[in-house]
Amino acid sequence: MKNLNGYSPSSKTVAAISTPQAPGGIGIVRISGPQAREIAGKVFTARHGKTLDEIKGYTALYGRIHDGETDIDEAIALNFTSPASFTGEDVVELSCHGGLYIMRRVLKAVFSAGAVPAGPGEFTRRAFLNGKIGLTEAESVMQIISAQGEQAAKAALAGHDGALEKKIIKIRDLLIETAAHLSAWADYPEDDIPQVNPETLETTLLTAKTEIERLLRQFDAGKAIREGVSTVIAGRPNVGKSTLMNLLSGCERSIVTEYAGTTRDIVEDTVILGDVPLRLSDTAGIHTTDDPVEKIGVDRARGKVREAQLVLAVFDSSRQLNGEDRELISAVQGSPAIAVVNKSDLPAEIDMQYIHKYFQHIVYISALSGEGLQELKDAVAEVLRTAELNPADGILFTERQRDAARQAGDCVREALLAVESGITLDAVTVSIEGAISALLELTGERATEAVVDSVFSHFCVGK
């Protein structure tokens, strides 16, 4: 996709620091555009006298970087020639020592030599506009960078390798073939074009509908492994909430004593449980109290339970249920929740029939010893539907992608309804073309400049 709405990605040579803006062993300043080698040559001198124009792509030179007056640092200049580069343009990467002062001096020298600052996601945007990657592949770049666990990293890499785009293209091509047959049959009745079979048409549309709905169903699970899940540990005082928090955190995040009401405010931490990042909140024990400070903590705990994406409702197996337990059970109905029956190493007094009546997912653990932790991991994966997610299959990453898939699904359902209702095939064709248009926007083949701007505005500068 080139020259989108008049924008030419190759009109200027841009530069930015592509490594984190923090001290490190190595820092990289990336230059991309038609004058990349010329600009780099003004600030870089190879030790043995060769120039970047004299070496092949994917080869490097060792030398020094200077600003025309003084040396800045020793460096390696890595040369990439168009179109065999990430952006599809001539690219030079200057690798120097990773001090902030040094990197910024090198970048300043590159700007003085003729480059202009790269915007957020500028290099990936140019790769997209130059046809090196599709829009879904470009979006997966930030998912790779922000991945917090193995599943998220696998899903992002699969997206970058084109797994999602291949799925979308398969659905799109199926609909394009169907729309072409409908149009040809309607426009050229005298020609020897096979008649449209309503049953075959319905089967094709049902196939497209099923594939789109499968992608949409996986979105929430994919979002959970990418962004994490707001998770609240709730229960009455002294059931072991803080002990569970410490078990999941792997350190003493919450104060644990034999006295009830130790936790008065919300203690937060982010942990990886299985493959899912959980943004944990250990809350004050839910109960009635006259202590004004403790009451604030209890009110905050109730609020957290209402807002949570997942609730770990903790119960003490060695004690009978009371009104505060029942209040919590009532509060979590209709929300994703797991009953965590703690202190399983002690004699049981709890009414498990009552727990089973209100919870689909129940786990027995000893937060003190860690027994039952694997069962809790499995239950979380089941509740969040991450257990059935295969990251290599290709999943929807962003709200933009989900909205486009949802639009395509709505259009396919309209087409199916038209077929079932016996409406003219012209109306069916219009709905199918609407679905095709939504899928083309999803892959970026028919994306507006506003959509492209929105996608790359979320990128960091230098990528």
Side-chain angles (χ1 to χ4, degrees):
M1 182 178 183
K2 297 182 181 179
N3 300 322
L4 178 66
N5 288 353
Y7 173 78
S8 174
S10 302
S11 59
K12 294 180 179 179
T13 298
V14 296
I17 297 171
S18 287
T19 42
Q21 297 272 348
I26 296 175
I28 296 175
V29 173
R30 179 182 285 169
I31 310 167
S32 181
Q35 295 179 294
R37 286 195 297 276
E38 177 186 343
I39 290 170
K42 292 179 181 179
V43 301
F44 174 83
T45 301
R47 183 172 180 177
H48 298 296
K50 283 189 176 181
T51 67
L52 291 165
D53 284 322
E54 295 174 327
I55 63 173
K56 298 178 181 179
Y58 294 94
T59 54
L61 293 172
Y62 169 74
R64 284 188 172 265
I65 295 178
H66 49 81
D67 59 9
E69 298 179 358
T70 60
D71 286 351
I72 298 173
D73 194 13
E74 61 180 349
I76 293 174
L78 183 56
N79 189 37
F80 301 89
T81 55
S82 171
S85 72
F86 175 69
T87 63
E89 304 169 334
D90 287 340
V91 173
V92 177
E93 291 185 351
L94 300 173
S95 298
C96 57
H97 289 99
L100 279 174
Y101 170 74
I102 293 296
M103 287 192 291
R104 288 170 181 170
R105 274 200 68 187
V106 172
L107 184 62
K108 183 180 178 181
V110 169
F111 289 155
S112 297
V116 298
E122 181 76 21
F123 300 112
T124 310
R125 180 182 181 128
R126 290 182 176 217
F128 165 64
L129 294 171
N130 284 322
K132 300 294 290 184
I133 56 176
L135 196 56
T136 58
E137 294 167 311
E139 286 172 302
S140 69
V141 170
M142 283 306 296
Q143 304 301 327
I144 293 173
I145 293 171
S146 61
Q148 300 180 60
E150 183 180 359
Q151 291 288 82
K154 284 182 178 179
L157 185 59
H160 191 258
D161 289 341
L164 174 60
E165 185 168 1
K166 289 171 186 174
K167 274 192 171 183
I168 299 301
I169 288 174
K170 185 177 179 180
I171 301 169
R172 181 205 66 189
D173 288 349
L174 180 67
L175 294 175
I176 287 175
E177 183 180 345
T178 302
H181 185 192
L182 287 169
S183 297
W185 185 72
D187 294 342
Y188 304 100
E190 297 85 5
D191 292 351
D192 189 20
I193 296 172
Q195 186 172 351
V196 175
N197 184 323
E199 291 183 1
T200 303
L201 177 58
E202 186 174 355
T203 299
T204 299
L205 292 173
L206 281 171
T207 299
K209 173 176 172 287
T210 300
E211 291 300 317
I212 293 171
E213 288 178 346
R214 182 179 290 114
L215 282 171
L216 289 168
R217 277 198 309 273
Q218 293 177 332
F219 179 82
D220 287 337
K223 187 175 182 181
I225 65 172
R226 289 192 313 275
E227 300 178 12
V229 178
S230 174
T231 305
V232 170
I233 301 174
R236 63 165 156 157
N238 219 26
V239 294
K241 300 184 301 299
S242 295
T243 306
L244 177 60
M245 176 74 166
N246 292 339
L247 172 66
L248 297 177
S249 299
C251 62
E252 296 293 320
R253 292 289 289 117
S254 296
I255 298 172
V256 177
T257 73
E258 61 188 86
Y259 303 105
T262 305
T263 303
R264 293 193 169 198
D265 205 346
I266 295 167
V267 180
E268 298 180 328
D269 197 6
T270 297
V271 304
I272 305 294
L273 189 65
D275 291 310
V276 185
L278 300 183
R279 299 192 299 277
L280 288 177
S281 297
D282 176 19
T283 60
I286 296 176
H287 67 294
T288 303
T289 178
D290 294 327
D291 185 320
V293 177
E294 195 174 11
K295 186 176 185 302
I296 293 172
V298 172
D299 289 341
R300 288 181 178 178
R302 290 189 173 107
K304 276 285 187 179
V305 168
R306 288 193 297 270
E307 298 167 1
Q309 296 172 300
L310 175 65
V311 178
L312 302 181
V314 185
F315 303 96
D316 186 342
S317 69
S318 67
R319 298 159 67 188
Q320 294 182 1
L321 296 173
N322 65 10
E324 291 151 358
D325 291 317
R326 291 184 176 87
E327 177 191 344
L328 174 60
I329 291 170
S330 176
V332 301
Q333 295 309 298
S335 301
I338 298 170
V340 180
V341 183
N342 190 27
K343 305 184 184 180
S344 60
D345 51 325
L346 298 178
E349 294 290 338
I350 192 170
D351 182 358
M352 286 308 302
Q353 285 188 337
Y354 192 88
I355 298 291
H356 278 282
K357 183 178 178 181
Y358 292 99
F359 287 92
Q360 182 180 355
H361 299 91
I362 301 170
V363 176
Y364 297 86
I365 72 164
S366 169
L368 189 61
S369 69
E371 182 182 351
L373 181 58
Q374 183 58 52
E375 287 74 11
L376 180 57
K377 291 179 182 179
D378 295 341
V380 168
E382 188 174 345
V383 171
L384 300 176
R385 295 184 177 178
T386 58
E388 60 193 53
L389 190 68
N390 183 353
D393 278 350
I395 59 177
L396 298 171
F397 281 108
T398 66
E399 293 291 345
R400 181 198 75 82
Q401 293 174 1
R402 179 166 71 165
D403 287 344
R406 187 181 287 148
Q407 290 175 31
D410 289 344
C411 289
V412 170
R413 280 188 288 273
E414 287 175 5
L416 268 170
L417 184 60
V419 172
E420 293 166 357
S421 303
I423 298 175
T424 62
L425 292 179
D426 286 347
V428 177
T429 304
V430 169
S431 295
I432 293 176
E433 288 175 347
I436 294 168
S437 179
L439 295 176
L440 288 172
E441 181 165 313
L442 199 162
T443 59
E445 295 167 273
R446 196 180 288 174
T448 65
E449 186 172 4
V451 168
V452 174
D453 286 343
S454 176
V455 167
F456 291 102
S457 68
H458 300 293
F459 278 58
C460 54
V461 174
K463 189 53 190 168

